[in-house]
Amino acid sequence: MSLTSLKVAALAGDGIGPEVMREAIRVMRAIEARFGLSFAVEQAPVGWAGIDAAGKALPDATLELCHRSDAILFGSVGLPDRDPTIPKEERPERAALLRLRKIFGLYANLRPVRLPKELAYSCPLRPERQGDGLDILVVRELTGGMYFGQPKKTEEVTENGATFKRAIDTMVYTTPEIERIAHVAFKAAQLRRRKLTSIDKANVLENGILWREVVTSVSKQYPEVALDHMFVDNAAMQLMLKPTQFDVLLCENMFGDILSDEAAALAGSLGMLPSASLGAQAAGGLTFGFYEPAGGTAPDIAGKDLANPIAQILSVSMMLRYTFGLNEAAAAIDQAVGRVISSGLRTGDIYNPLDTGSRKVGTTEIGTAIAQSIKA
Ligand code: IPM
Ligand code: MG
């Protein structure tokens, strides 16, 4: 791969986005130094920052940059308290995030949840339910289901002389849509503990019946992966009761949205969890990807050097792995994060005052320590 092909659009967004992005870029510079690589990182505004800079949550120039790039490293968007009069279609969640997912066909969302042993205290479950530490991968379908199905509208209806509103969302999946996300999940499971739990609501939904049927048929191509099916309500319960039973969870869009947050809670802090959203392979063989922390903009702590940059930094690691195929460099980031956690540095979200071997630090200090540890 030529050096010039590592084109990254860095869209920091709102809230804590800019400060955690700064640390992620610091880590990329350390990776360049250690591995003799060179990233062309270009930054552009998105979210409320986009609305402020160019009147749109996804400014044309930002979208154009994304089209020219191999990967998008995304911060976070959305500030609930800002201008409630802006219509929902123009607000960052729909106008930037959902739009980017649709435009780039980012159908495969990978959300790994890991609870390192040193942070066992930040898991809300009792220690005996945590086993030897938790390690779950949620694979969420990201461009179908109720999020995008048509019709989607709110209308006024009159029945028996009464007038009221009716809101309609439509859940739609086709066989090919289920097949392609199932392949992603089975392939991920092959590289892990070879166990796949497919989530549906086949006892109620047509979509659930089709989901189960298609996943079962795809599973014939992966005989070494053990497949089981679970209703979504039971899965929500099992995640709390016995999370160690799960390796890879395969979910449609909405169930994946909900279960991935629930799974994330097990890791104690959203500040530790990266994610990848992948599309089809591009002509040059690279998989275009969108990489973002699991957490949001956290406006209450923004600009105070309190945010945990690790989710953003681990998003860089996922980008190196999935878009650029730089597995060794990705592993170097994961290991550096592990070493810094072991050394006791903690941002507030993962700090435990009873752990006397640890020290509470800010965003910049922990980011710098991770970058240093990569160079060393
Ligand atoms: C997520 C978020 C988004 C979603 C929102 C912000 C639109 O919750 O990425 O999980 O529902 O997909
Ligand atoms: Mg969500």
Side-chain angles (χ1 to χ4, degrees):
M1 181 190 310
S2 79
L3 289 184
T4 49
S5 65
L6 307 176
K7 290 202 242 22
V8 178
L11 316 183
D14 308 316
I16 61 171
E19 57 201 289
V20 294
M21 184 64 80
R22 194 174 311 131
E23 301 315 311
I25 291 175
R26 196 193 304 283
V27 163
M28 287 172 75
R29 297 301 173 222
I31 288 291
E32 289 178 324
R34 160 122 178 243
F35 291 92
L37 298 164
S38 165
F39 296 102
V41 184
E42 253 185 80
Q43 307 207 44
V46 72
W48 286 100
I51 294 174
D52 291 340
K56 277 171 147 182
L58 183 60
D60 299 345
T62 301
L63 181 56
E64 201 264 324
L65 167 66
C66 294
H67 278 296
R68 279 190 280 117
S69 305
D70 301 312
I72 302 173
L73 184 62
F74 198 82
S76 45
V77 295
L79 297 170
D81 293 342
R82 279 223 25 197
D83 195 353
T85 65
I86 290 196
K88 57 184 187 292
E89 297 76 25
E90 293 171 28
R91 301 185 75 82
E93 290 81 350
R94 290 199 198 200
L97 202 54
L98 296 187
R99 228 182 123 214
L100 282 168
R101 286 175 186 171
K102 204 63 190 178
I103 291 173
F104 290 97
L106 304 170
Y107 68 91
N109 182 218
L110 310 181
R111 301 191 165 183
V113 173
R114 277 196 196 95
L115 176 71
K117 272 220 127 357
E118 295 97 322
L119 300 183
Y121 56 76
S122 59
C123 176
L125 298 185
R126 289 199 299 269
E128 64 267 28
R129 294 203 167 161
Q130 300 174 18
D132 296 326
L134 300 175
D135 184 359
I136 298 171
L137 175 67
V138 179
V139 175
R140 169 187 175 194
E141 200 293 326
L142 204 58
T143 51
M146 272 225 263
Y147 274 60
F148 294 98
Q150 294 297 334
K152 187 180 195 70
K153 61 181 172 187
T154 304
E155 59 192 13
E156 204 147 272
V157 290
T158 305
E159 263 172 30
N160 306 325
T163 298
F164 47 86
K165 284 189 186 173
R166 173 164 59 199
I168 301 176
D169 295 281
T170 308
M171 187 168 184
V172 193
Y173 271 106
T174 61
T175 304
E177 282 178 304
I178 303 170
E179 279 170 353
R180 65 180 182 176
I181 191 70
H183 281 290
V184 171
F186 278 107
K187 289 194 173 114
Q190 278 179 324
L191 300 173
R192 294 171 48 99
R193 302 190 302 277
R194 295 191 289 281
K195 184 163 182 225
L196 179 64
T197 307
S198 175
I199 307 301
D200 63 47
K201 189 73 184 169
N203 49 351
V204 178
L205 302 176
E206 291 297 314
N207 269 275
I209 297 170
L210 182 64
W211 187 272
R212 195 170 278 222
E213 197 178 290
V214 175
V215 173
T216 303
S217 124
V218 170
S219 74
K220 309 283 182 269
Q221 296 175 46
Y222 302 90
E224 70 286 15
V225 176
L227 168 69
D228 64 352
H229 303 274
M230 202 179 267
F231 294 140
V232 60
D233 49 347
N234 185 29
M237 186 170 74
Q238 294 299 326
L239 270 170
M240 289 300 113
L241 294 178
K242 198 168 179 262
T244 51
Q245 73 186 282
F246 297 115
D247 178 13
V248 178
L249 281 173
L250 168 61
C251 312
E252 67 85 39
N253 203 345
M254 170 103 140
F255 296 162
D257 178 45
I258 299 168
L259 291 188
S260 65
D261 265 24
E262 192 193 358
L266 297 173
S269 172
L270 286 175
M272 297 291 292
L273 304 178
S275 77
S277 303
L278 308 176
Q281 234 174 40
L286 296 182
T287 301
F288 186 87
F290 176 100
Y291 301 87
E292 65 173 332
T297 52
D300 50 320
I301 60 165
K304 298 181 180 156
D305 196 42
L306 293 173
N308 186 343
I310 291 179
Q312 190 78 57
I313 290 168
L314 291 176
S315 298
V316 173
S317 155
M318 292 189 91
M319 174 176 81
L320 299 189
R321 219 180 274 283
Y322 291 105
T323 290
F324 298 119
L326 296 166
N327 294 335
E328 210 188 319
I333 296 180
D334 299 346
Q335 285 154 13
V337 168
R339 279 195 297 272
V340 166
I341 293 292
S342 301
S343 80
L345 299 197
R346 304 277 187 269
T347 42
D349 56 317
I350 50 171
Y351 178 66
N352 173 11
L354 300 176
D355 177 359
T356 51
S358 72
R359 187 163 63 85
K360 194 166 169 178
V361 298
T363 311
T364 314
E365 186 171 345
I366 201 162
T368 306
I370 292 166
Q372 283 301 335
S373 170
I374 286 169
K375 283 192 205 143

